[in-house]
Amino acid sequence: MIDPTNRWQKFGGKPTYAGLLTFASVPYTEDSSELCPGDVVIVGAPMDDLVSDRPGTRYGPRAIRAADGSRAVRSAGGSRSWHVGAEIDPFTQVRVIDFGDAPVVPADPAESHKAIEATVSEVVAAGALPIILGGDHSIVMPDVAACAGRWGPVGVLHFDSHTDTEFEVFGVDISHGTGMYRLIEAGLIDPSRYVQIGLRGYWPVPEERDWQKGRGIMSISMEQVYEQGLIESLSAAIARIGSGPTFLSIDIDVLDPSHAPGTGTPDPGGMTAIDLLRATRVAARDLDLVGAEVVEVLPTAIGRADTTALVADRVVREIITGIALRRQRSGNEH
Ligand SMILES: [Mn+2]
């Protein structure tokens, strides 16, 4: 069995640069019998076959794993996971395991989606909470399908500059721009508990906007966030979603391209990194999360030089911190 209290047991307990690259250097397994209820489990979904613009997000999971910028701190003997704002070390409160990548098949997106759904379902069946690293945003379909398979129709908090409720993209039904539409039509997302935040640019067009309104979907544009403030916008979103199983979908392009240049469909006028990190932690603390994803990370460099992967790594850490705070507040170790 994995001992998460000593991530470097093979190295005599000493923090080190050596060893397999995993998310935040947490233990690795591909054996779902090693997963426990309450674990937070990282799953890579390295596919980019369904993009409409820039490809390359198949390298997203490995870039996020490589972005762990605190290794130097660790080797100096300090805690690498103490959170200054939250005053908690989430990795001592929550057991985090890296479950590797779903066995996707390049150029066969249908098979890749099946592989992702099967892998995420293994995590969910173990009673653990999956955090999926994308990958293009089409992976929301297998990610949510796996969670809804266990929990029924889920609420969704969706950070994105794009609505992703298009009926088709270039005549194609299954795309990184149609996922939310497909999931709502399939009854896997409860539209009355679905909130989008950060929309801007030229989407949704009136036809989609009317379809969304007809289903009671709450949409908070980036201009609204700018005018009323992030915390108030987020409070409205959390109030709308309420209690019940909720999936957190974070398209990294919700950030302004100056904060996340490495993404498939950059759109100017977005959030800053501190906006998204704060919002992510509060959302994970205040919602009944059953799963989360961080998608559309298109690496542009290696390691800490990759601004987008670096902020994506921190976004995942904020999710884990929020989960830790929620468990601390409820007095439940899991
Ligand atoms: Mn997007």
Side-chain angles (χ1 to χ4, degrees):
M1 184 54 86
I2 298 167
D3 177 7
T5 61
N6 184 354
R7 289 181 285 264
W8 303 281
Q9 50 192 311
K10 211 171 119 185
F11 302 99
K14 296 221 168 38
T16 171
Y17 280 91
L20 185 67
L21 189 63
T22 64
F23 177 79
S25 299
V26 300
Y28 179 83
T29 185
E30 294 181 6
D31 179 356
S32 63
S33 72
E34 294 205 76
L35 305 179
C36 296
D39 285 352
V40 168
V41 177
I42 306 294
V43 177
M47 69 172 287
D48 59 7
D49 301 291
L50 293 171
V51 297
S52 54
D53 194 2
R54 303 176 189 177
T57 59
R58 70 180 59 188
Y59 303 116
R62 69 176 64 174
I64 297 170
R65 289 183 174 111
D68 175 10
S70 46
R71 290 178 171 226
V73 176
R74 211 183 311 149
S75 47
S79 166
R80 73 199 171 87
S81 47
W82 178 256
H83 192 299
V84 170
E87 299 226 305
I88 189 174
D89 182 343
F91 289 82
T92 64
Q93 308 293 313
V94 179
R95 203 173 85 127
V96 185
I97 307 289
D98 194 326
F99 199 46
D101 290 337
V104 299
V105 183
D108 192 338
E111 279 304 311
S112 294
H113 277 191
K114 273 189 214 164
I116 294 165
E117 184 173 342
T119 305
V120 177
S121 293
E122 279 188 75
V123 174
V124 172
L129 189 153
I131 299 179
I132 303 99
L133 311 178
D136 72 60
H137 211 163
S138 74
I139 68 165
V140 73
M141 289 184 259
D143 292 350
V144 166
C147 293
R150 164 72 178 80
W151 301 100
V154 294
V156 175
L157 180 57
H158 174 199
F159 289 86
D160 205 326
S161 65
H162 310 105
T163 176
D164 291 358
T165 56
E166 196 154 27
F167 310 149
E168 55 178 44
V169 175
F170 302 128
V172 178
D173 292 343
I174 307 295
S175 147
H176 78 152
T178 61
M180 298 306 182
Y181 172 75
R182 297 281 152 209
L183 286 164
I184 289 164
E185 289 293 289
L188 301 177
I189 292 177
D190 175 355
S192 70
R193 298 185 58 237
Y194 171 40
V195 179
Q196 315 171 316
I197 184 166
L199 304 191
R200 58 190 185 267
Y202 309 96
W203 210 18
V205 298
E207 185 190 8
E208 292 153 20
R209 182 201 58 201
D210 294 345
W211 177 87
Q212 293 185 189
K213 282 187 176 164
R215 277 151 191 78
I217 295 166
M218 179 185 269
S219 231
I220 303 171
S221 72
M222 200 57 224
E223 290 204 9
Q224 286 172 285
V225 173
Y226 181 75
E227 284 162 12
Q228 69 190 13
L230 177 74
I231 297 302
E232 193 174 323
S233 304
L234 190 62
S235 297
I238 289 168
R240 168 63 74 93
I241 293 167
S243 59
T246 303
F247 188 81
L248 177 62
S249 179
I250 298 177
D251 185 330
I252 206 71
D253 74 27
V254 74
L255 291 173
D256 190 83
S258 61
H259 288 253
T263 191
T265 323
D267 230 310
M271 288 186 187
T272 64
I274 183 61
D275 289 335
L276 181 60
L277 297 180
R278 176 69 188 261
T280 301
R281 186 170 84 242
V282 169
R285 186 193 67 194
D286 292 352
L287 292 168
D288 297 327
L289 286 197
V290 296
E293 65 184 6
V294 179
V295 303
E296 296 285 345
V297 173
L298 198 167
T300 51
I302 297 170
R304 266 188 273 181
D306 191 335
T307 308
T308 311
L310 183 62
V311 76
D313 167 82
R314 296 298 163 88
V315 167
V316 176
R317 288 164 186 263
E318 293 293 351
I319 298 172
I320 295 166
T321 304
I323 291 167
L325 289 169
R326 185 175 186 79
R327 291 179 186 176
Q328 193 181 51
R329 195 165 61 179
S330 69
N332 178 347
E333 279 192 12
H334 287 308

